[in-house]
Amino acid sequence: MTVEAALSLLVAFAAVTALVTEGVKSFLDSVKCRYITNVVVLVIALTVGCGGTALYYVIAGIPFNALTSVYLALMGVFTWLCAMLGYDKVIQTIAQALKKG
C-alpha cells in the first residue's frame, strides 16, 4: 500500500466514522441509553478502519500476512485517533462560535 493510498483511506475512514458515530449517538439518545462517547467512537472506528482496510486488501489483491495484519490494526487505531480529533475539535469550535455570536 502506498502512502497516498493509506492517507486517502484514513481520511475517508475518519469521515465515515464521524458520520456513523453521529447516527449511533442519535439512536442511543432516542432510546435513552447511557453510553461513553469515546468508547462508541472506538468501536465504530475499529470496525470501519479494519474492515475498510481488509476490503481494500481484497480489492487490490494484497495478501494477508503478519505485516499487512499489523497495518490493518494500525489503520483502525489511526482512524479512531483522527475521528476523535476531528469530531471533538469541530464540535468545540462550533460551540465557541455560537457562544460568541
Side-chain angles (χ1 to χ4, degrees):
M1 179 185 316
T2 64
V3 173
E4 292 85 8
L7 289 176
S8 297
L9 288 173
L10 183 59
V11 168
F13 294 161
V16 168
T17 298
L19 292 172
V20 171
T21 299
E22 284 302 311
V24 169
K25 284 177 50 181
S26 296
F27 173 74
L28 292 175
D29 288 340
S30 71
V31 296
K32 307 243 188 293
C33 180
R34 295 182 65 197
Y35 59 90
I36 300 170
T37 304
N38 292 343
V39 174
V40 171
V41 176
L42 173 64
V43 170
I44 294 170
L46 288 176
T47 304
V48 170
C50 294
T53 303
L55 182 63
Y56 174 78
Y57 286 170
V58 169
I59 291 171
I62 298 172
F64 287 92
N65 56 35
L67 183 61
T68 57
S69 298
V70 169
Y71 291 158
L72 189 136
L74 287 175
M75 184 62 83
V77 172
F78 292 152
T79 300
W80 176 56
L81 293 174
C82 289
M84 286 298 298
L85 175 70
Y87 171 76
D88 288 338
K89 296 303 175 190
V90 169
I91 296 300
Q92 182 182 18
T93 303
I94 291 171
Q96 289 173 353
L98 291 176
K99 273 187 181 179
K100 298 272 182 181

